[in-house]
Amino acid sequence: MPNLGVDLWKYGFCILGIVISVLLPPLWAFVKSSFAPPQPAGAKGLGAIIMSFWTLLLPYLALGAASALTSILIIAVAGPKIETAAAAVLAGYAWDSTLQKLK
């Protein structure tokens, strides 16, 4: 049985890997759109901008929440094999990246 106090840091770093995996796709989409030619300007208020950002972000938040819950299972199964923070980050990243490819 895993020691909760010892394995809690693994969970945190696993979550960090998931956060990285969740944030990378919209960040790269933003970077690509920043280098695209500008679209003709239209009348867009702050509310419309916030709503479009929220619409883009919501699926990634749901995916991150589902993955964070699953990271409990990752640590339960692979906990003894994860000995470093880097391994925990990679375990979380690999899980979430795989999940995103399966969706």
Side-chain angles (χ1 to χ4, degrees):
M1 179 163 180
N3 183 349
L4 182 60
V6 173
D7 290 338
L8 194 57
W9 69 269
K10 293 178 186 179
Y11 179 73
F13 280 106
C14 189
I15 291 291
L16 177 62
I18 290 168
V19 168
I20 291 169
S21 179
V22 168
L23 292 179
L24 272 178
L27 183 59
W28 275 114
F30 173 75
V31 168
K32 287 178 184 177
S33 72
S34 296
F35 288 101
Q39 297 293 329
K44 246 188 176 179
L46 182 60
I49 292 171
I50 291 173
M51 196 60 175
S52 64
F53 180 72
W54 179 251
T55 303
L56 173 72
L57 193 60
L58 187 61
Y60 290 101
L61 289 174
L63 180 62
S67 296
L69 291 174
T70 306
S71 68
I72 295 170
L73 296 175
I74 294 171
I75 299 303
V77 171
K81 296 175 186 161
I82 296 175
E83 297 179 357
T84 65
V89 169
L90 288 175
Y93 181 85
W95 160 255
D96 190 71
S97 180
T98 303
L99 180 66
Q100 287 186 41
K101 287 173 180 54
L102 295 176
K103 67 176 181 169

